[in-house]
Structures are given as structure tokens and as C-alpha cells.
Amino acid sequence: MIKKKLRQEMRSALKSMKKDIRERKSRIISEKARHAPCWNNADTILVFLSMQEEVETGFIIQAGLNAGKTVGVPSISGREIIFHEIGCIDPECVINRYGIREPDPEYPVIDSGARQRNRILVFTPGLAFDRNLSRLGRGSGFYDRFIRRIRVSKQDNVSFCGICFTEQLIEEVPVSCYDEKVDAVITDSDVFGIV
């Protein structure tokens, strides 16, 4: 019940943010991300396609492509997410059953297990984060399962970085045994964790 109420509050706060402010803050987050050590060390960038109220990830996608990194965006496959390699900022997309954009299934799938020698940086969405690196997702658990799968397989070449607006930082995210932390968080005003 606490999570449900918090999700409603966060959605409301995000909807009230003006588009120009959201865009300005998204540019700042992208710049902070580009200057973080985890960005410089990464060969592959995996990043969500933003929804209307989220951090605009197009800036990160463009920066990754400009830097010559492999860039992937997610789609849902059963109860899991998989990432597809894209070569442009505006890939062909379809709308999935949750009303979220995802890349056309024709785009090649990125196999993180086959890229053990490559450093992979995953920009992770969330409705709220705290300074303990806990995140509140949208409730479907896709990213929690993905993070857990990577960690259980001991793929130490993969890092998870939450990105959000300062307004999404809260004192403490309520968590359960199914919730996974990220390694770092970048907002328009701060960077913390192992970046």
C-alpha cells in the first residue's frame, strides 16, 4: 500500500513538471552521465526509451552513438527485458502491451553474457530513488529481475545507474526482498554511488 501511494505521488509530481524544465534537467543529467567514470569505461550503453514524464533519454542515446559506443534499448520478452542494438536516436518502434515504446523486434538482440570482456552501463528507470541506491519501479519488476539475473550470473562487467530528476529523490524507498539496488544514481543536481 505504501508503494502504491508513493507511485501515485511521484506520477503526479512528474506530470506537473513543465516540458521545458524537464528538457533542461534531462540535458543536465545527460551531461553528468557523459562525464562519469562509468560512462568512460563502458563499451555498451543500455538505456530505456523514455515515457512522457521521465528523464528524456534521447540525449544519452545520442551521446552514446556520438562516442562510438554500442547502444541498446529494451523490449519485453515474457517476464524479462532484453535489449536491442540501435544505430540512431529515433529507431523504429512498436507499442507494447503496457503502452510503452520498444524497438522493432528486427533490431539485433544484445547478449550481455556474450560481452563479458566489454563494460556495460545500464541506465535504469525508476519513479523514485534514495541515497541508499534503492529504487521504486513501476511495479512490474522487469528491471529488478534483469538486475538480479546479471548479479546471480556474476557478470561484474555490468553496472546499473539510476537516472531521475531531483524531485524523484526521497529519504527512503520502501523495499521488499524482490527489489534490487542500483550502483549509482545521477540526477540534475547530484551524482552518488559507485560511478
Side-chain angles (χ1 to χ4, degrees), residues 11 39 67 103 167:
R11 285 188 182 107
W39 174 278
E167 289 81 356

Side-chain angles (χ1 to χ4, degrees), residues 154-173:
K154 302 196 183 307
Q155 287 180 242
D156 60 0
N157 62 317
V158 183
S159 299
F160 297 92
C161 181
I163 53 173
C164 69
F165 301 119
T166 301
E167 289 81 356
Q168 293 172 267
L169 271 184
I170 63 173
E171 189 171 326
E172 185 178 2
V173 170

Side-chain angles (χ1 to χ4, degrees), residues 20 29 32 35 40 50 57 71 87 110 143:
D20 61 324
I29 291 166
K32 286 181 184 294
H35 291 97
N40 295 325
S50 49
T57 56
V71 177
I110 294 175
Y143 273 88

Side-chain angles (χ1 to χ4, degrees), residues 70-102:
T70 299
V71 177
V73 293
S75 70
I76 293 172
S77 177
R79 289 179 38 81
E80 304 296 331
I81 53 174
I82 58 176
F83 287 84
H84 299 263
E85 184 176 346
I86 59 170
C88 64
I89 191 171
D90 192 21
E92 292 291 323
C93 287
V94 295
I95 305 298
N96 68 19
R97 66 182 184 264
Y98 297 98
I100 299 169
R101 289 183 308 144
E102 58 183 41

